[in-house]
Amino acid sequence: REAFMDGIFKAMLDRYFTEGAALDLGTDPVAGRMLTQPEVVGVDGNTQLLDEFLGRGFALIGVDCDPAVELDNAVLAPWRKLGARVVALGVHETLGAHGSWLMDLLSRSEGNMFLVRPDRFCMASFTLETAAEKLGRAASMLGLARAG
C-alpha cells in the first residue's frame, strides 16, 4: 500500500508538457516540467512555500548559487524589466516530500539555474556559461528581445 501511495504521489507531482514555450524540450529533463511548491527556508530563516518566494510572474532560481550575483546585468535586464524575481535556494533548504521531489528533479538538469514561468513550469535551465544564450532564446521566444 505504501509503494502504491508513493507512486500516486509522484504521478501527481510529475506534470509536464512536450510542446510549447520552453527551451530544449525532449533533451533537458527539467524543461517543460511543473515545479512543486515545497516549503523552503529563506535567508531570513522564515519558512514559506516556494510560490511565495517566486511571486506571481517569471522567476529565476539558482540552486546553491545566486543568479543576481552570478549573472551579468545585461543578461538579467530583460527579465528584471518584466518583473521577474531572482531567488537563491540551497539544496538543503527545502522541507518535506515535495522539497525532496523538487530537488531531485532539478538535480537531473545540467543547469543550476532555472527560468520559471508564471504557471510554475520550467522554461529553461542553464549554467553561468550558457545563461546569456538560453535567456536570450527564452526572451526571443516571448518576443522580449532578439536572441543572440
Side-chain angles (χ1 to χ4, degrees), residues 22-131:
L23 302 180
D24 306 322
L25 286 169
T27 58
D28 182 340
V30 181
R33 294 213 178 264
M34 179 179 266
L35 302 187
T36 60
Q37 296 307 313
E39 289 185 315
V40 293
V41 180
V43 293
D44 59 3
N46 287 328
T47 300
Q48 301 184 85
L49 291 174
L50 178 61
D51 234 15
E52 294 172 27
F53 281 105
L54 301 183
R56 293 180 170 217
F58 282 89
L60 292 157
I61 299 175
V63 176
D64 277 343
C65 70
D66 186 348
V69 173
E70 302 278 333
L71 300 178
D72 186 71
N73 285 333
V75 173
L76 288 174
W79 302 101
R80 288 189 190 253
K81 186 174 182 179
L82 195 63
R85 285 205 184 161
V86 181
V87 178
L89 292 179
V91 170
H92 302 292
E93 293 175 343
T94 60
L95 308 171
H98 288 303
S100 297
W101 189 90
L102 175 65
M103 287 305 165
D104 178 60
L105 172 65
L106 297 181
S107 72
R108 293 183 214 161
S109 174
E110 291 181 15
N112 62 334
M113 292 182 257
F114 306 88
L115 174 62
V116 181
R117 302 179 342 180
D119 61 5
R120 297 303 168 241
F121 282 87
C122 182
M123 186 168 187
S125 66
F126 51 94
T127 63
L128 178 60
E129 293 77 22
T130 62

